[in-house]
């Protein structure tokens, strides 16, 4: 066993564990919360979905976290995949999906374009300019003045290569009931305002891909994600689950993990 400065959360065990080397020169420990597992357990007892949700809510979010974002109006999850829009920009499409077990719903929180690099111990704050990198395709959440296919609002896509894109990847975190500069927590509801267009990341059940508007397309049943002119209940998001750093406050709080 060795001491580590990262605590693996009890609620994030019983399913998968990932070791990644992203923001540090050495590997550091992540754990993933799988809220859809019926039989998630540790050595002592069954871990319920409610316990997991409570523990995620208590987290302080740091840069480098890989998160699954849930829209608070539809309860669908921000999602992307290697499917391009058939119109507009023809860039990689972004939708909202009901399933919360898909790795295509994980996004890495990074500093904004041209902002000095953040490290794993840097806290994400309300008002920060961030990019969200799609963990599987390495493209960034992006918007521009292209028109979304169903709603006619601004199109949202994924753009760039290996995490590099442009200023169209920048989003401002606007927290609900928290002041600018306060710490983003798992329980925080927030909107993502696109820095260039000033429009808000949004989804609605009114704009679902179906056989009438999409034919036999591969995104049937998913919701359009667009950028709306105004903040509303459709633009509120929250961290549902993901892979997190848990940084200890001092050495006395360190534990043997392995």
């Amino acid at each position: 066993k060795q001491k580590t400065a990262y605590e693996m959360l009890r609620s994030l065990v019983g399913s998968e564990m990932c070791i990644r080397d992203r923001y540090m020169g050495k590997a550091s420990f992540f754990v993933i919360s799988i809220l859809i597992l019926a039989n998630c357990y540790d050595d002592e007892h069954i871990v319920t979905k409610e316990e997991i949700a409570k523990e995620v809510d208590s987290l302080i979010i740091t840069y480098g976290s890989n998160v699954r974002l849930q829209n608070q109006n539809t309860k669908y999850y921000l999602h992307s995949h290697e499917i391009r829009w058939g119109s507009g920009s023809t860039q990689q499409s972004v939708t909202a999906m009901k399933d919360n077990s898909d790795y295509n719903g994980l996004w890495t929180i990074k500093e904004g374009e041209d902002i000095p690099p953040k490290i794993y111990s840097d806290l994400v704050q309300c008002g920060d300019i961030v990019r969200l990198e799609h963990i599987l395709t390495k493209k960034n959440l992006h918007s521009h003045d292209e028109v979304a296919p169903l709603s006619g609002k601004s199109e949202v896509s994924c753009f760039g290569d290996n995490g590099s894109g442009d200023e169209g990847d920048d989003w401002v975190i606007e927290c609900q009931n928290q002041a600018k500069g306060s710490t983003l927590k798992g329980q925080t509801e927030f909107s993502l305002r696109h820095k260039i267009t000033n429009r808000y990341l949004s989804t609605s059940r009114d704009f679902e891909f179906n056989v009438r508007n999409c034919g036999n397309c591969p995104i049937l049943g998913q919701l359009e994600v667009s950028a709306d002119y105004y903040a509303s209940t459709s633009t509120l998001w929250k961290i549902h689950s993901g892979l997190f750093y848990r940084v200890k406050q001092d050495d006395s709080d360190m534990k043997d993990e392995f």
Side-chain angles (χ1 to χ4, degrees), residues 8-18 30-47 52 103:
M8 285 194 293
L9 304 181
R10 175 182 58 88
S11 67
L12 311 182
V13 301
S15 51
E16 304 174 32
M17 182 168 62
C18 173
F30 286 83
V31 282
I32 185 165
S33 65
I34 304 296
L35 298 183
I36 48 85
L37 285 182
N39 295 315
C40 181
Y41 62 91
D42 61 15
D43 291 337
E44 298 175 356
H45 71 288
I46 299 292
V47 180
I52 293 173
Y103 285 106

Side-chain angles (χ1 to χ4, degrees), residues 77-195:
Y77 302 89
L78 188 67
H79 177 269
S80 189
H81 34 224
E82 292 186 278
I83 299 172
R84 292 182 175 271
W85 287 126
S87 60
S89 70
T90 71
Q91 294 172 359
Q92 181 172 302
S93 60
V94 175
T95 61
M97 192 172 180
K98 192 172 185 178
D99 184 11
N100 66 4
S101 63
D102 190 339
Y103 285 106
N104 278 308
L106 287 172
W107 305 80
T108 302
I109 303 176
K110 309 185 299 184
E111 69 286 338
E113 184 81 6
D114 297 328
I115 292 177
K118 301 287 187 178
I119 62 171
Y120 72 97
S121 58
D122 287 329
L123 305 184
V124 182
Q125 297 181 329
C126 300
D128 278 2
I129 300 170
V130 300
R131 292 172 294 164
L132 293 176
E133 180 184 326
H134 188 241
I135 190 171
L136 291 187
T137 63
K138 304 299 182 186
K139 295 180 183 294
N140 297 324
L141 187 70
H142 182 89
S143 191
H144 37 225
D145 287 327
E146 295 285 349
V147 177
L150 300 183
S151 66
K153 300 173 183 178
S154 293
E155 181 191 87
V156 173
S157 64
C158 273
F159 175 76
D161 293 296
N162 293 318
S164 295
D166 62 21
E167 64 276 6
D169 305 338
D170 283 350
W171 300 83
V172 181
I173 300 175
E174 295 190 354
C175 298
Q176 189 85 342
N177 303 318
Q178 282 187 224
K180 184 177 180 180
S182 61
T183 301
L184 186 73
K185 298 181 180 180
Q187 66 186 8
T188 304
E189 293 186 353
F190 57 90
S191 295
L192 290 170
R193 178 174 56 82
H194 190 245
K195 186 172 183 291

Side-chain angles (χ1 to χ4, degrees), residues 198-215:
N198 279 321
R199 297 171 187 172
Y200 291 86
L201 189 72
S202 175
T203 193
S204 168
R205 292 179 187 269
D206 293 337
F207 304 111
E208 178 180 351
F209 292 100
N210 54 50
V211 293
R212 295 187 300 277
N213 60 39
C214 197

Side-chain angles (χ1 to χ4, degrees), residues 54-98:
K54 184 177 180 180
E55 195 140 21
V56 171
D57 280 353
S58 71
L59 290 174
I60 292 174
I61 307 303
T62 66
Y63 282 90
S65 297
N66 295 331
V67 297
R68 179 175 284 109
L69 298 183
Q70 184 181 42
N71 182 266
Q72 294 303 284
N73 182 44
T74 64
K75 302 304 181 184
Y76 278 50
Y77 302 89
L78 188 67
H79 177 269
S80 189
H81 34 224
E82 292 186 278
I83 299 172
R84 292 182 175 271
W85 287 126
S87 60
S89 70
T90 71
Q91 294 172 359
Q92 181 172 302
S93 60
V94 175
T95 61
M97 192 172 180
K98 192 172 185 178

